[in-house]
Amino acid sequence: MKKIDLVKDTIDNGDIDKLIDWLKTYPKLTKGPLTKEFESKWSNWLGCKYSVFVNSGSSANLLMLYALQTSNTLKNNKICVPSLCWATDLSPVMQLNMEPILVDCNLTNLSVDLEHLEEIFIKSSPSALLLVSVLGLSPDMGKITQLCDKYDVILLEDNCESQGTTYKGVKLGNFGLMSSFSTYFGHTMSTIEGGVVSTNNEQIYHKLLQLRSHGWDRDLPNDKQVELRNKWNVDEFSSLYTFYEPGFNLRSTDLQAFIGINQLSKVDSMIEARRKNFEYFQSRLKDKIWFPKILDDTSTSSFAIPVILKDTTTRNRLISELEKNNIVCRPLIAGSMGQQPFYIKRYGRQILKNCHIIDCNGIYVPNHDKLSIGDIDRICNILIKY
């Protein structure tokens, strides 16, 4: 029986052949002109002004939060993070000695529960919300941005699972101060490993460039270099090893940027395939089992299909049958972060009612651009039984 994998590599033989031909020109492989070209093309594709290519989506999240912290724009140390998220949404908040506040999810589209979010905004007055768009499903960006504006909360977007999803005709990644994306193997498009931070704020962009590369000024525009060097009385020779910020090395490479440029040329067709697959899943499953509610005037670049069962016993039976039928499945992202060991060790266990249901009864099944209608029918027939 054919195996239905969770993901398929989007880097095909044509991409590899182009890469081989390019390597035969003996190019510079580390960060260089192709990185800038990829960043520019990514920004044009997303519809924003600036983008910074880094070595992973996790690093993109770290860089966003660190840029906020070092910009002295935070009113306090409190950061809201959805309890239904990936580990490296929460980890950098902890690593940077910020205070994470976990937000429950809703059980309609798995985004943050808006009532719980507003309660936290009123009670704790956090500095920022790191919003996660789960499995390509669009949050209610209108209501979320209204709440952030009302309570003076900076919005950051994690779109690592939702490249190409739109809300009222605008791609996710254009609603917050910064947004993160992942170009890891098996994501919507791939650079093998990689991630991107995008923004429309020039000052934040310059901060991101410095923090990505050691804290020096080499990637900044010339006028900003001159400004910094004059301020600190740094001559041109000394500027090579002068560090203005306590930065990281989160750079990616021109080799990965070369792959990314080719991937961007066909990403829209991959997104469209995921969207069509999602709509077919919806036609098969809606009104038969729990299925996420899709907001009006949104388009879903589906990452995978979430499933919530009535209890843990039923979930385990479904997992067993999927495995017997050679269909890969996973926990619904990572369940509830408040019940993960690394959170419990520092803060104690936190149970949020909706996310606890996801933790106990949720899984997800494959959706990617290589799935056939027959593959989808095989998956749906098993899901409907449960």
Side-chain angles (χ1 to χ4, degrees), residues 154-219:
I154 297 168
L155 177 61
L156 305 175
E157 297 179 70
D158 175 348
N159 300 299
C160 291
E161 296 179 348
S162 57
Q163 182 186 349
T165 292
T166 63
Y167 176 87
K168 295 188 176 180
V170 179
K171 289 173 181 169
L172 298 188
N174 288 290
F175 293 90
L177 176 62
M178 288 176 274
S179 58
S180 64
F181 295 84
S182 172
T183 54
Y184 173 64
F185 162 82
H187 281 217
T188 307
M189 58 169 268
S190 175
T191 58
I192 308 173
E193 294 276 358
V196 180
V197 181
S198 294
T199 184
N200 286 311
N201 185 297
E202 184 179 43
Q203 185 176 353
I204 286 290
Y205 170 58
H206 293 158
K207 180 74 71 172
L208 291 167
L209 289 175
Q210 285 189 278
L211 296 177
R212 175 184 65 178
S213 299
H214 308 293
W216 57 30
D217 68 10
R218 296 188 195 184
D219 296 323

Side-chain angles (χ1 to χ4, degrees), residues 40-291:
S40 176
K41 289 185 174 180
W42 178 279
S43 295
N44 290 336
W45 175 84
L46 183 61
C48 70
K49 290 182 180 179
Y50 311 109
S51 295
V52 176
F53 189 33
V54 294
N55 56 18
S56 72
S58 296
S59 292
N61 287 334
L62 174 64
L63 194 60
M64 286 198 302
L65 287 161
Y66 195 47
L68 275 188
Q69 190 178 64
T70 56
S71 296
N72 298 316
T73 57
L74 299 176
K75 60 187 178 185
N76 56 43
N77 222 24
K78 301 173 183 177
I79 309 294
C80 289
V81 182
S83 192
L84 183 62
C85 70
W86 190 245
T88 48
D89 291 298
L90 179 58
S91 294
V93 178
M94 298 167 64
Q95 291 157 349
L96 296 172
N97 290 316
M98 296 172 165
E99 179 185 341
I101 304 174
L102 295 181
V103 186
D104 204 359
C105 65
N106 65 56
L107 295 178
T108 53
N109 69 0
L110 304 181
S111 184
V112 289
D113 180 275
L114 295 178
E115 289 186 8
H116 189 225
L117 182 66
E118 187 166 18
E119 287 174 9
I120 291 171
F121 282 3
I122 293 169
K123 180 181 177 180
S124 300
S125 187
S127 284
L129 164 65
L130 177 53
L131 179 68
V132 179
S133 303
V134 176
L135 301 182
L137 303 169
S138 177
D140 191 332
M141 300 307 302
K143 291 182 179 178
I144 289 169
T145 53
Q146 286 173 9
L147 287 174
C148 288
D149 290 342
K150 180 178 179 180
Y151 295 102
D152 187 28
V153 176
I154 297 168
L155 177 61
L156 305 175
E157 297 179 70
D158 175 348
N159 300 299
C160 291
E161 296 179 348
S162 57
Q163 182 186 349
T165 292
T166 63
Y167 176 87
K168 295 188 176 180
V170 179
K171 289 173 181 169
L172 298 188
N174 288 290
F175 293 90
L177 176 62
M178 288 176 274
S179 58
S180 64
F181 295 84
S182 172
T183 54
Y184 173 64
F185 162 82
H187 281 217
T188 307
M189 58 169 268
S190 175
T191 58
I192 308 173
E193 294 276 358
V196 180
V197 181
S198 294
T199 184
N200 286 311
N201 185 297
E202 184 179 43
Q203 185 176 353
I204 286 290
Y205 170 58
H206 293 158
K207 180 74 71 172
L208 291 167
L209 289 175
Q210 285 189 278
L211 296 177
R212 175 184 65 178
S213 299
H214 308 293
W216 57 30
D217 68 10
R218 296 188 195 184
D219 296 323
L220 293 176
N222 183 255
D223 62 324
K224 295 300 177 183
Q225 291 178 336
V226 171
E227 183 180 314
L228 277 175
R229 293 171 191 179
N230 288 341
K231 178 180 178 179
W232 292 97
N233 194 29
V234 176
D235 61 46
E236 187 173 353
F237 180 75
S238 299
S239 72
L240 294 171
Y241 289 165
T242 298
F243 307 100
Y244 304 93
E245 300 285 351
F248 301 104
N249 179 10
L250 303 178
R251 294 172 295 187
S252 197
T253 68
D254 265 19
L255 187 151
Q256 290 159 292
F258 181 90
I259 296 171
I261 291 166
N262 286 323
Q263 291 274 290
L264 269 179
S265 68
K266 58 183 182 179
V267 71
D268 287 334
S269 64
M270 295 188 283
I271 290 168
E272 180 65 9
R274 286 176 175 269
R275 183 190 66 78
K276 287 182 176 178
N277 286 349
F278 181 81
E279 290 180 349
Y280 187 65
F281 270 107
Q282 185 179 41
S283 71
R284 288 291 321 271
L285 299 176
K286 190 178 180 182
D287 302 324
K288 296 184 178 69
I289 67 169
W290 178 90
F291 197 82

Side-chain angles (χ1 to χ4, degrees), residues 332-375:
L332 214 171
I333 308 187
S336 178
M337 281 294 143
Q339 298 184 69
Q340 288 281 352
F342 79 109
Y343 182 88
I344 295 170
K345 283 192 293 184
R346 185 175 295 189
Y347 307 107
R349 188 181 302 272
Q350 182 175 2
I351 296 179
L352 298 169
K353 63 176 184 177
N354 292 337
C355 211
H356 184 63
I357 293 171
I358 301 298
D359 201 64
C360 297
N361 305 338
I363 67 168
Y364 65 71
V365 295
N367 183 26
H368 51 75
D369 61 307
K370 305 296 192 302
L371 280 186
S372 69
I373 293 297
D375 294 333

Side-chain angles (χ1 to χ4, degrees), residues 319-345:
I319 292 169
S320 178
E321 184 153 352
L322 288 168
E323 290 173 347
K324 287 177 184 175
N325 283 272
N326 220 11
I327 299 168
V328 179
C329 62
R330 290 287 186 273
L332 214 171
I333 308 187
S336 178
M337 281 294 143
Q339 298 184 69
Q340 288 281 352
F342 79 109
Y343 182 88
I344 295 170
K345 283 192 293 184

